[in-house]
Amino acid sequence: MLNGGVHKPCEKPNRNLSVGNKKPWNMVVALSPLQVIGFPSLQLHMSGIAMRASQEDFENALNQVKLLKKDPGNEVKLKLYALYKQATEGPCNMPKPGVFDFINKAKWDAWDALGNLPKETARQNYVDLVSSLSSSSESSNQVQPGTDRKQQEYENLVVTSEDGITKITLNRPTKKNAINTQMYQEIILALKAASNDDSILTVVTGNGDYYCSGNDLTNFMDIPPGGVEEKAKQSAVLLRDFVGSFIDFPKPLIAVVNGPAMGISVTILGLFDAVYASDRATFHTPFSHLGLTPEGCASYTFPKIMGPAKATEMLIFGKKLTAGEACAQGLVTEVFPDSTFQKEVWTRLKAYSKLPKNAMKISKQVIRNMEKEKLHAVNAEESSVLQERCLSDECINAAVNFLSKRAKL
Ligand SMILES: CCCCCCCCCCC/C=C/C(=O)SCCNC(=O)CCNC(=O)[C@H](O)C(C)(C)COP(=O)(O)OP(=O)(O)OC[C@H]1O[C@@H](n2cnc3c(N)ncnc32)[C@H](O)[C@@H]1OP(=O)(O)O
């Protein structure tokens, strides 16, 4: 594909399916009261409870609360805890902790004080409380193109907007931008914000030498009280939401693949509208090696993009592709020499961002909308299969193997 460093569009461009860092208060303060209280927002988000009208507001509130910049204090945190428990489990059903178990006693008291408050009311009160806490920082969410303003602050992402382009940078370079649980949530939020901002194009890229090393293998280590089955269920819900936010993204979405890409960061490329890669990038989906199966809709998009035989090599046999190979197979739009990658790609993207905004957005929707239903069905099926795979010996052994090797270093 690359001749003496001169780049050119790939020979097989048949992508016929397009298909900062200030930390949030609840994550940073070591041994903060919140941490001691065991803030349960993520678990709730993934528990599949409350699928009624206010579910979306409630989930948004759960996400919002993690992004509050100021610690609201113990009293409010206890209130949030109590409302969360009431909203998800109903009236307090735990045995009363002993008097010297101060923290659990405070939690129990707060929950018990809600008496028989209906779940729906508790949910609504939770949403209202979070809304009152976050209202002061709300106004910073809308980004004007051309101002290079930093958007919402995230723990694992840097999101900026300039020249009509919102750029979402995966920002865990010391971990090769592996996607941990919080980062999945943050990407979902960043995509939601980008779909509502004034930008014309949205770009995903990586900070450091990697684009992304895929799912953070330590994600599976943090087992909730419900045990490994509950963990697998939570993971499947999170995965489905994450991939769903790419399927539904309404504007042109571009990946600027600055280095090696692995696992889920590769599979979701089939849901992007263009993929520009440095010639240093590689594309690797070692699912079988990890006892896993494809996600990101790749079981559908990859055979469509590159044909079933090539898709099999990647998704089943774990063959790692160079950027040139990925381009020849239609997964990548164009490859650039690493030395000029950033300059050339951003010049190109800035030119594209000057094209009529609505025409581009509507074109994307025309190209994609017919596939959406199918993609959501594929996503649901892949997530459900992975829920089982996460519990297999093959998968657990592979994760333990990775983590134990790392521990020896
Ligand atoms: C609620 C639960 C949430 C679950 C979410 C549900 C989603 C389910 C999705 C399941 C499907 C799986 C999708 C995938 O993405 S499969 C691919 C997974 N990725 C890997 O297997 C890569 C593992 N990493 C490596 O092989 C190497 O680290 C790598 C080749 C990437 C780089 O090697 P190198 O030698 O150059 O560098 P190091 O190994 O020293 O890495 C530097 C540090 O980064 C850490 N690291 C890198 N990648 C990961 C990773 N994927 N997970 C966790 N940690 C990672 C590495 O450990 C080093 O850390 P330390 O410096 O602390 O040792």
Side-chain angles (χ1 to χ4, degrees):
M1 276 291 50
L2 296 173
N3 302 324
V6 179
H7 69 87
K8 57 179 184 173
C10 301
E11 280 149 17
K12 188 196 166 201
N14 77 334
R15 286 174 57 84
N16 54 356
L17 191 134
S18 312
V19 185
N21 225 358
K22 197 162 152 194
K23 297 174 178 181
W25 55 267
N26 59 334
M27 297 295 168
V28 238
V29 191
L31 294 175
S32 70
L34 183 67
Q35 197 173 6
V36 180
I37 284 168
F39 206 56
S41 58
L42 181 65
Q43 285 167 11
L44 175 71
H45 171 73
M46 293 186 288
S47 67
I49 298 164
M51 299 303 285
R52 282 182 286 259
S54 61
Q55 172 69 9
E56 199 181 337
D57 290 344
F58 191 36
E59 290 191 2
N60 284 342
L62 293 167
N63 287 327
Q64 255 180 321
V65 88
K66 290 189 293 174
L67 299 168
L68 292 176
K69 288 171 198 142
K70 271 204 298 194
D71 186 330
N74 278 357
E75 200 180 325
V76 174
K77 284 186 281 190
L78 281 170
K79 202 161 188 176
L80 286 167
Y81 167 82
L83 288 170
Y84 160 80
K85 296 294 279 185
Q86 192 85 7
T88 57
E89 295 179 33
C92 183
N93 55 14
M94 307 270 292
K96 188 172 182 173
V99 279
F100 296 115
D101 190 355
F102 302 114
I103 291 166
N104 284 322
K105 171 111 178 7
K107 290 162 66 179
W108 188 91
D109 286 342
W111 184 8
D112 189 57
L114 295 180
N116 287 323
L117 188 75
K119 280 185 173 182
E120 289 74 11
T121 314
R123 197 180 310 139
Q124 187 59 51
N125 292 354
Y126 186 97
V127 170
D128 293 344
L129 180 54
V130 173
S131 161
S132 71
L133 294 171
S134 43
S135 56
S136 57
S137 55
E138 284 272 295
S139 54
S140 65
N141 277 352
Q142 189 73 3
V143 174
Q144 304 299 322
T147 55
D148 194 14
R149 259 179 51 190
K150 233 174 158 185
Q151 280 192 331
Q152 176 73 60
E153 296 192 342
Y154 298 94
E155 175 94 14
N156 304 289
L157 306 176
V158 175
V159 181
T160 57
S161 200
E162 186 182 14
D163 295 327
I165 304 173
T166 290
K167 178 164 72 155
I168 300 171
T169 304
L170 310 177
N171 191 33
R172 289 183 83 210
T174 58
K175 299 289 181 188
K176 311 292 183 192
N177 298 324
I179 309 177
N180 62 20
T181 302
Q182 188 188 352
M183 196 165 164
Y184 280 107
Q185 294 283 359
E186 290 183 352
I187 294 170
I188 294 170
L189 286 176
L191 287 175
K192 198 162 193 174
S195 56
N196 292 323
D197 71 15
D198 286 342
S199 64
I200 292 147
L201 306 177
T202 301
V203 170
V204 177
T205 191
N207 181 18
D209 59 341
Y210 260 65
Y211 173 67
C212 175
S213 63
N215 183 51
D216 188 315
L217 296 173
T218 66
N219 280 340
F220 298 112
M221 299 297 123
D222 168 29
I223 305 300
V228 286
E229 282 82 10
E230 180 59 22
K231 180 75 185 182
K233 195 168 147 199
Q234 292 176 356
S235 303
V237 173
L238 180 59
L239 176 65
R240 203 180 59 220
D241 287 353
F242 175 77
V243 175
S245 64
F246 285 88
I247 297 172
D248 289 332
F249 193 73
K251 303 176 185 177
L253 182 64
I254 294 117
V256 171
V257 185
N258 54 298
M262 292 185 77
I264 191 162
S265 72
V266 176
T267 55
I268 53 168
L269 291 177
L271 301 171
F272 281 67
D273 303 298
V275 178
Y276 298 120
S278 152
D279 60 7
R280 227 172 38 74
T282 51
F283 298 82
H284 192 196
T285 48
F287 297 126
S288 300
H289 300 71
L290 294 167
L292 293 170
T293 48
E295 22 60 351
C297 292
S299 60
Y300 177 69
T301 59
F302 277 29
K304 243 187 137 164
I305 290 168
M306 60 187 74
K310 293 294 184 189
T312 296
E313 275 201 307
M314 280 195 84
L315 297 176
I316 302 183
F317 302 143
K319 183 181 176 191
K320 189 200 286 188
L321 301 191
T322 63
E325 288 166 340
C327 192
Q329 292 179 13
L331 183 62
V332 164
T333 310
E334 192 167 336
V335 181
F336 297 82
D338 193 57
S339 55
T340 55
F341 178 59
Q342 296 292 343
K343 189 163 176 273
E344 292 197 60
V345 166
W346 287 103
T347 304
R348 172 89 58 97
L349 290 174
K350 279 177 191 170
Y352 289 165
S353 72
K354 302 215 164 32
L355 294 171
K357 175 180 175 174
N358 291 335
M360 287 199 288
K361 185 172 174 179
I362 295 165
S363 294
K364 168 177 178 155
Q365 290 171 5
V366 169
I367 295 167
R368 302 279 175 169
N369 277 359
M370 257 179 333
E371 293 277 19
K372 259 193 178 180
E373 208 177 313
K374 174 74 184 170
L375 290 168
H376 280 297
V378 170
N379 183 24
E381 173 64 12
E382 288 178 345
S383 302
S384 150
V385 171
L386 263 173
Q387 181 174 334
E388 297 300 315
R389 290 309 305 166
C390 287
L391 301 173
S392 69
D393 286 348
E394 289 176 345
C395 175
I396 291 165
N397 290 341
V400 168
N401 198 19
F402 173 78
L403 295 169
S404 58
K405 271 193 198 138
R406 196 178 65 144
K408 278 184 214 137
L409 288 175

